[in-house]
Amino acid sequence: MDNSLHVVPADDALLHEYDALATRSYGRRADDVTQLAGHADIRVALRRGRVIAGGLGMLIPQHFGGQPVPSACLGSGCVAPEERGDRLTVRMLAERIRPLQEQGATLATLWTASNGYARRMGWEAPTPVFSWSVTTDALKRDFTPGNFEIEHGLTPAAEELQRRLAPQWNGTLLRPPWWTPHKQNQHNLTTYRFSRPGHGPAGYLLLTTHQHDRHGARLAVHDFWPADNDAASAMLAFLGRHNSRIATVTFHRTSLPPHPLLLHGLHRYGNATAEAWHPWMLRILDLPQAIRQRGWPADLDTTLPIGIEQENGSTHRYVLQISNGTAELQPTTLDSRVRLTRRQATVWYAGGYRSATAARMAGVHATDQQSLTTLIRSTTDHEPWLAEHF
């Protein structure tokens, strides 16, 4: 280890250096570095007094099985270009997670285009991530507005709707109060609420307009939260109303929930295109604790010996006990009936294997089909979706 390298919390002066380094490293301004300084734990690496790497972390719960699980959400990590190639990123990730784990984080999540090193450190992608684009003409033609009133602006009732809908998915954040105002300011977002007459919000979306030098403007949707299919249809029809001046709507990264409404509602498949993005990566820091904190199906009562393969090739044997919506993972000497690597366990935890067949294709080993089916069923009551990008 390089003894001249020190990782420390960033004070105001170091934050300024880190901000300049992030701009140089990314080739653009990384606004989160300064804008989230009051909400994040920021660590920088110093060599001979100079900032050569940095990153921020936030302790924010993520919903799994309907329950919030404390998670270290990492963002804006960077290493000086002249310092790359010496595994400094690996050390920085460990140093950034440590204080958040000491505060109770049992998971760690990040978005990264460099997912190779993340996988080597135990992260895995629970689900593909896409940005969807569709013409406003197609939305106007194929979706009906229904009996919904549309109002401008974010209200406490709309935020409460989001808090009610988020636990229906695996991975969504329990957003702190500052989250949405920060995103609105950062991306110049406008909010529209959708409600049936005399009722509270049944959906809301946050969008912004991007200008294009040659082709006019396009809409980018950052948040899309419908309570039901009719509300989603009304929201898509509203976006279609922009067709007189805007040709295309883009659902920014993970803003569109992973259900088939958009594709199934369009008359022609070519009306929607998908662009793959770098994945949401998840890592379990403390597996027994993460199992205890997660929600589980209330109708499932099972005891299953499982094995978790470690990076050094050894296997830790556990008994997974699920009953009355809770679960425990206890050490055992029993032979495992299902065996997963730590990364495979992460995908299972997030509900990423939608069937036993999908798990087998991913390399999960089982002594019998029923054991594997039982294990996979325990996490598929919610689909994985991280609607927030950071």
Side-chain angles (χ1 to χ4, degrees):
M1 181 179 292
D2 185 353
N3 293 325
S4 68
L5 185 71
H6 304 281
V7 179
V8 299
D11 58 19
D12 289 344
L14 294 176
L15 177 65
H16 180 75
E17 287 190 53
Y18 166 41
D19 184 30
L21 173 63
T23 300
R24 179 164 65 90
S25 179
Y26 291 137
R28 56 174 175 79
R29 183 71 190 274
D31 293 332
D32 279 352
V33 172
T34 54
Q35 293 180 7
L36 293 180
H39 307 293
D41 182 284
I42 299 179
R43 304 278 157 160
V44 296
L46 300 175
R47 178 173 284 135
R48 292 183 289 276
R50 182 173 66 92
V51 174
I52 62 169
L56 60 84
M58 301 167 287
L59 183 61
I60 304 177
Q62 290 183 264
H63 297 103
F64 289 92
Q67 295 296 321
V69 182
S71 180
C73 299
L74 308 180
S76 300
C78 66
V79 175
E82 66 273 18
E83 299 284 348
R84 293 172 184 167
D86 196 29
R87 293 182 59 82
L88 183 53
T89 296
V90 173
R91 179 173 175 184
M92 282 301 298
L93 282 171
E95 293 284 354
R96 290 161 63 193
I97 289 173
R98 179 179 50 77
L100 298 174
Q101 191 169 9
E102 291 172 355
Q103 296 175 48
T106 53
L107 308 173
T109 192
L110 53 78
W111 297 92
T112 178
S114 304
N115 51 63
Y117 74 81
R119 286 192 167 93
R120 288 193 294 273
M121 292 186 65
W123 268 276
E124 191 51 276
T127 186
V129 174
F130 297 100
S131 171
W132 287 93
S133 295
V134 62
T135 65
T136 50
D137 283 339
L139 293 177
K140 182 178 180 181
R141 181 187 64 240
D142 296 339
F143 293 93
T144 56
N147 186 29
F148 282 86
E149 296 175 345
I150 305 171
E151 297 178 284
H152 166 255
L154 186 64
T155 64
E159 292 186 289
E160 176 58 32
L161 172 69
Q162 190 276 335
R163 286 191 290 270
R164 190 170 73 249
L165 296 177
Q168 298 176 10
W169 306 88
N170 286 333
T172 53
L173 300 186
L174 178 59
R175 294 180 176 180
W178 54 263
W179 182 271
T180 300
H182 163 67
K183 290 298 182 181
Q184 286 180 303
N185 294 333
Q186 184 183 44
H187 300 291
N188 191 30
L189 301 178
T190 301
T191 306
Y192 291 95
R193 310 186 311 275
F194 299 77
S195 59
R196 296 175 176 87
H199 293 80
Y204 80 84
L205 58 82
L206 272 67
L207 58 81
T208 190
T209 303
H210 294 296
Q211 299 300 319
H212 194 290
D213 292 339
R214 294 181 58 191
H215 305 296
R218 66 178 179 87
L219 289 181
V221 176
H222 285 244
D223 250 8
F224 190 92
W225 292 94
D228 53 42
N229 184 75
D230 290 340
S233 180
M235 292 161 67
L236 293 170
F238 166 77
L239 295 171
R241 294 182 187 180
H242 294 76
N243 70 320
S244 62
R245 66 183 188 91
I246 294 178
T248 303
V249 175
T250 297
F251 293 89
H252 184 74
R253 296 174 183 169
T254 62
S255 62
L256 194 67
H259 55 62
L261 171 71
L262 181 63
L263 285 177
H264 290 186
L266 293 172
H267 291 172
R268 291 192 299 273
Y269 183 80
N271 284 327
T273 59
E275 179 182 358
W277 284 88
H278 52 266
W280 155 40
M281 306 291 286
L282 181 68
R283 176 181 168 189
I284 301 176
L285 304 175
D286 184 335
L287 184 59
Q289 183 70 351
I291 294 291
R292 282 191 291 271
Q293 293 172 336
R294 193 190 192 283
W296 300 88
D299 63 341
L300 186 60
D301 191 341
T302 188
T303 299
L304 183 66
I306 65 172
I308 306 296
E309 295 181 8
Q310 307 302 302
E311 288 76 6
N312 61 8
S314 64
T315 298
H316 290 181
R317 297 180 183 182
Y318 298 97
V319 168
L320 174 65
Q321 296 176 310
I322 304 174
S323 180
N324 297 321
T326 63
E328 290 283 341
L329 196 67
Q330 300 290 345
T332 186
T333 58
L334 296 174
D335 290 338
S336 303
R337 287 157 61 184
V338 181
R339 191 172 74 253
L340 310 92
T341 67
R342 290 190 65 86
R343 299 206 320 267
Q344 289 168 347
T346 298
V347 178
W348 161 74
Y349 184 90
Y353 297 133
R354 305 308 297 168
S355 68
T357 300
R360 283 193 181 277
M361 290 294 291
V364 177
H365 297 280
T367 59
D368 60 276
Q369 183 71 13
Q370 182 59 47
S371 296
L372 183 56
T373 299
T374 299
L375 182 70
I376 298 306
R377 182 199 163 202
S378 67
T379 60
T380 53
D381 54 339
H382 295 71
E383 287 191 68
W385 178 42
L386 180 52
E388 295 84 2
H389 196 277
F390 48 86

